[in-house]
Amino acid sequence: MRQLSFLQTPDGESPRSMSFTIYRYILSEAFFSFLIAFLFFFFIFFVNQLLLMAQEILTKQVPFGQVAMLVLFSLPGVIAMSAPFASLVGTLMTVGRLSSDNEILVMLSSGLSFRNVFIPAITVGVVISLLSFMANDVLLPAGTLQFARLYRRILVSTPALELSANSVKKFKDTVIVTGNVTGNAIDNVLILDRTSDGERRVIMANNAELKDAGKSGLSLDLDRAFVQSSKEIARDDYDYAIAGSLRYWVPQEDLIQAMSSVSPREMSSIDVFKEIRKQTVELNNRLNERQNRITTSAFALEETFRGGPTAAGWNRRNNQITAFQRDVQAFNNIRNDRTLSLYWLEFYKKFSIPFGAFSFIFLAVSLGLMAKKSGQTVGFIFGLIISVVYWALLLGGQTMGIRMNTNPFWSMWLPNILALSVGSVLAIIKVMK
């Protein structure tokens, strides 16, 4: 009687590394679990991001059909966010069930290797990553464009959407700060703008009433208003007035322009990269200009000190020192431009989140192989925990990138690198046992 080794077939043939039947079986199981997990995450993001927005709009008496179209145009962003997490949870559920039901043990005993588990899972991860990237890079900008167009049409007919309680709203050269809002009534209104002559103006009122001015935009009827205007250069030259009632207009053009700006999140990766190159050139030009001013100020200051008390500019040396320090501070502020950092963060984020599905595969398969019982349930729970940790790391990296000016690449890609590294180490340990 012949003794069989762990990786030998009953006929004594060499171990088989792949089986197309097993590949299709695991692939179908993984896609089915992914679909279930995707519907779960889609519902979570849908409720948190879309229904809350729709509810806010519905309270302003916007027609339901227009609200439904706004929700439809927002779906690409929800799909792009749901897919990577669904890939993690779906793979954990699939491999966990196969492991707890001893199907993987049977495959290994039949001469098959762990490749029969990893390759179908990697296939799912690659497909989901590409689809998620397409949704994030193509469908999201297109949906955002249609969303902005529809929202502008709604805004013209329902201007109350623009002003909410305890908020700051900017329209072109106008900033409106509001207190509590009840219907169209607003408490404690502060308006900062410029007059037609270019003067700075501050308007304060105890309360105001928002009205639809039709094609003219919107108007605010202010009660007990205080108005102060001052010159741009001569701040000591100012005028003020007190009015029992005052009507303030926000033109329709300013309302539409406020909605026309597109953030880097709502742009394609190519457009974001083009904007980064443009801003980089502008930043370098400003830095060179400021550096030339610093050099000129430094030479002038050096010449003054070398000349001593007899120099022509000796009595102005303190002003020269102040100007030099101001130029250096301005140079440092320009160099630490957060706007450019924000664009780099969004650029890397457009790749890191979709391809997080691929990084999750190695971690999900490795953890799923450790399941002993109730594999699907355990996989679902572990998937949710890892998703929360991943999301926290992603938000933490984005916050550090904006506030602490950390490297944008590491801020966005570190969670993926950690998931891929831990998963690879666990997979090597599992295979070598």
Side-chain angles (χ1 to χ4, degrees):
M1 185 175 179
R2 184 174 54 184
Q3 185 178 4
L4 299 176
S5 66
F6 182 69
L7 294 178
Q8 278 186 320
T9 62
D11 297 329
E13 299 175 353
S14 59
R16 293 175 295 162
S17 59
M18 281 297 298
S19 169
F20 186 68
T21 303
I22 298 297
Y23 176 84
R24 288 189 304 172
Y25 171 68
I26 297 180
L27 197 66
S28 61
E29 289 285 324
F31 272 116
F32 179 74
S33 298
F34 165 78
L35 180 61
I36 296 175
F38 177 81
L39 293 176
F40 171 80
F41 282 104
F42 182 87
F43 178 78
I44 295 297
F45 286 113
F46 185 84
V47 170
N48 288 333
Q49 298 185 21
L50 299 181
L51 290 185
L52 293 178
M53 178 199 68
Q55 181 181 2
E56 179 181 355
I57 296 177
L58 282 172
T59 58
K60 304 296 176 63
Q61 299 179 350
V62 177
F64 179 78
Q66 292 181 333
V67 176
M69 292 302 297
L70 287 178
V71 171
L72 178 63
F73 294 144
S74 302
L75 290 182
V78 179
I79 295 174
M81 291 300 303
S82 303
F85 299 112
S87 172
L88 168 66
V89 175
T91 305
L92 274 169
M93 292 172 60
T94 300
V95 180
R97 187 195 68 78
L98 295 175
S99 181
S100 62
D101 292 348
N102 294 323
E103 293 187 33
I104 293 180
L105 180 61
V106 172
M107 285 190 294
L108 295 176
S109 301
S110 301
L112 299 173
S113 66
F114 281 107
R115 256 191 238 174
N116 291 271
V117 181
F118 275 98
I119 292 181
I122 292 174
T123 302
V124 173
V126 171
V127 171
I128 295 172
S129 293
L130 293 176
L131 292 177
S132 178
F133 179 77
M134 290 289 293
N136 192 46
D137 203 53
V138 179
L139 298 181
L140 179 59
T144 301
L145 179 62
Q146 297 299 325
F147 181 95
R149 289 177 178 174
L150 178 58
Y151 195 87
R152 285 198 296 268
R153 292 201 299 267
I154 296 174
L155 184 61
V156 172
S157 60
T158 315
L161 283 173
E162 281 298 280
L163 297 179
S164 55
N166 303 310
S167 64
V168 178
K169 194 65 181 181
K170 181 176 177 59
F171 308 97
K172 198 177 179 179
D173 295 329
T174 303
V175 177
I176 300 179
V177 183
T178 60
N180 295 326
V181 176
T182 305
N184 288 342
I186 307 172
D187 296 334
N188 300 322
V189 178
L190 174 64
I191 302 174
L192 308 173
D193 68 352
R194 291 180 180 272
T195 65
S196 58
D197 298 330
E199 296 181 350
R200 294 178 177 271
R201 184 169 59 180
V202 179
I203 303 175
M204 295 181 288
N206 291 339
N207 52 73
E209 183 180 0
L210 178 67
K211 292 184 178 181
D212 183 3
K215 294 183 178 180
S216 299
L218 62 85
S219 66
L220 286 170
D221 289 349
L222 309 174
D223 291 336
R224 290 172 296 189
F226 174 82
V227 183
Q228 177 182 323
S229 59
S230 60
K231 303 291 185 181
E232 180 67 28
I233 300 177
R235 296 295 178 88
D236 294 336
D237 184 7
Y238 62 89
D239 299 315
Y240 71 91
I242 300 176
S245 62
L246 177 68
R247 175 164 292 182
Y248 186 86
W249 297 89
V250 179
Q252 185 183 119
E253 293 78 12
D254 292 354
L255 293 175
I256 294 176
Q257 184 177 2
M259 275 297 300
S260 300
S261 59
V262 180
S263 67
R265 179 182 178 274
E266 299 157 348
M267 301 165 61
S268 66
S269 58
I270 297 177
D271 292 335
V272 174
F273 187 71
K274 290 179 179 178
E275 185 65 25
I276 288 175
R277 293 180 62 182
K278 176 183 175 182
Q279 290 191 14
T280 302
V281 172
E282 294 176 354
L283 177 63
N284 290 334
N285 291 336
R286 284 186 293 159
L287 287 174
N288 291 334
E289 180 183 356
R290 185 62 62 173
Q291 193 169 18
N292 291 334
R293 291 183 57 177
I294 292 175
T295 303
T296 303
S297 299
F299 281 136
L301 190 60
E302 181 183 7
E303 183 178 353
T304 299
F305 278 103
R306 285 182 179 275
T310 59
W314 180 258
N315 294 331
R316 299 191 304 272
R317 64 186 184 281
N318 291 332
N319 295 334
Q320 288 180 312
I321 294 174
T322 302
F324 176 78
Q325 292 175 340
R326 186 166 54 245
D327 288 337
V328 172
Q329 183 64 38
F331 178 84
N332 293 329
N333 293 337
I334 295 174
R335 185 173 55 183
N336 299 325
D337 186 18
R338 292 188 176 182
T339 303
L340 186 59
S341 298
L342 178 61
Y343 272 84
W344 273 117
L345 285 170
E346 289 295 337
F347 178 76
Y348 288 123
K349 188 177 180 180
K350 286 184 177 295
F351 294 92
S352 65
I353 291 182
F355 289 97
F358 179 79
S359 304
F360 282 148
I361 291 301
F362 293 87
L363 181 61
V365 173
S366 302
L367 293 176
L369 291 173
M370 299 178 182
K372 302 300 181 182
K373 58 182 180 178
S374 302
Q376 280 187 319
T377 304
V378 174
F380 184 80
I381 295 174
F382 269 95
L384 292 182
I385 295 174
I386 296 174
S387 298
V388 172
V389 173
Y390 177 87
W391 188 250
L393 289 174
L394 198 64
L395 289 180
Q398 187 170 0
T399 302
M400 292 180 64
I402 295 175
R403 296 186 178 182
M404 303 179 62
N405 203 25
T406 57
N407 189 288
F409 175 83
W410 292 108
S411 298
M412 292 293 97
W413 277 95
L414 183 59
N416 288 350
I417 294 174
L418 288 176
L420 184 62
S421 301
V422 174
S424 300
V425 171
L426 293 178
I428 293 174
I429 294 175
K430 184 67 177 178
V431 172
M432 293 181 61
K433 280 187 177 181

